[in-house]
């Protein structure tokens, strides 16, 4: 009898292989050949699922997003109800920082945005989702009502300015963690993040 292929299982195996290639060598090494070899498949077999390198990288970005969103939901469920607003905001923002091996691998996946650029069909959506997170965090720090649609520009210029600053700060801090981990170890990064969030909170008073 012909072998029955579980396509969902195959996609999961390809996702894990893709993740290992990126975590080990970065998104610039992703290709049909390297991912197929990592998964123990022929290039032809992999092309049943992904036709191009760009499709592989978009798939990796989607997978990274899913992981981050899942962790944030778990964090929201498990967070300490007695924590300060700065500590709660920091807990969410930390999921965007490469503070451990898993998040370092996710950061390397996000380097793929610089490779595929506008060929990512969800480029604008990804950007709006990230900015929406920072709007929510800044709104909480300022004691503002929960945003109905955080992906949209907020009418309060204080919130918009600080959401932009926080977005830039986290991106820059992430890069420092990756390129100079001796100077910016996890504890230092966490302290800097909390200092910045404290400054955001105090600016609203």
């Amino acid at each position: 009898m012909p072998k029955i292929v579980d396509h969902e299982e195959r996609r999961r195996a390809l996702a894990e292989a893709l993740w290992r290639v990126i975590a080990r060598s970065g998104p610039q090494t992703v290709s049909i050949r390297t991912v197929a070899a990592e998964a123990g498949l022929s290039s032809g077999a992999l092309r049943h699922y992904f036709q191009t390198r760009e499709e592989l990288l978009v798939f990796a970005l989607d997978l990274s997003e899913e992981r981050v969103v899942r962790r944030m939901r778990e964090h929201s469920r498990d967070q300490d109800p007695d924590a300060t607003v700065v500590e709660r905001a920091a807990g969410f923002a930390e999921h965007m920082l490469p503070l451990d091996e898993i998040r370092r691998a996710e950061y390397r996946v996000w380097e793929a945005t610089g490779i595929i650029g506008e060929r990512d069909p969800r480029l604008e959506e990804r950007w709006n989702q990230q900015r929406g997170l920072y709007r929510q965090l800044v709104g909480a720090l300022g004691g503002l009502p929960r945003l109905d649609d955080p992906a949209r520009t907020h009418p309060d210029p204080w919130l918009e300015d600080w959401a932009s600053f926080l977005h830039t700060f986290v991106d820059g801090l992430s890069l420092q963690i990756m390129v100079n981990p001796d100077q910016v170890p996890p504890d230092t990064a966490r302290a800097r993040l909390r200092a910045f969030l404290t400054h955001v909170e105090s600016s609203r008073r």
Side-chain angles (χ1 to χ4, degrees), residues 43-51:
S43 295
L46 187 145
R47 288 186 188 276
H48 284 294
Y49 300 90
F50 304 101
Q51 292 293 313

Side-chain angles (χ1 to χ4, degrees), residues 60-110:
L61 285 167
D62 290 342
L63 181 61
S64 176
E65 274 189 3
E66 290 174 11
R67 292 186 176 200
V68 172
V69 169
R70 182 170 61 248
R71 283 204 311 272
M72 286 189 175
R73 286 174 177 166
E74 292 170 353
H75 175 78
S76 180
R77 184 183 64 243
D78 300 335
Q79 65 180 329
D80 181 359
D82 297 324
T84 65
V85 65
V86 167
E87 193 61 35
R88 291 198 300 272
F92 283 103
E94 280 183 6
H95 288 292
M96 304 297 289
L97 293 173
L99 297 174
D100 54 34
E101 287 306 309
I102 291 175
R103 282 175 280 185
R104 287 177 69 85
E106 288 169 349
Y107 183 91
R108 302 205 77 177
V109 171
W110 279 98

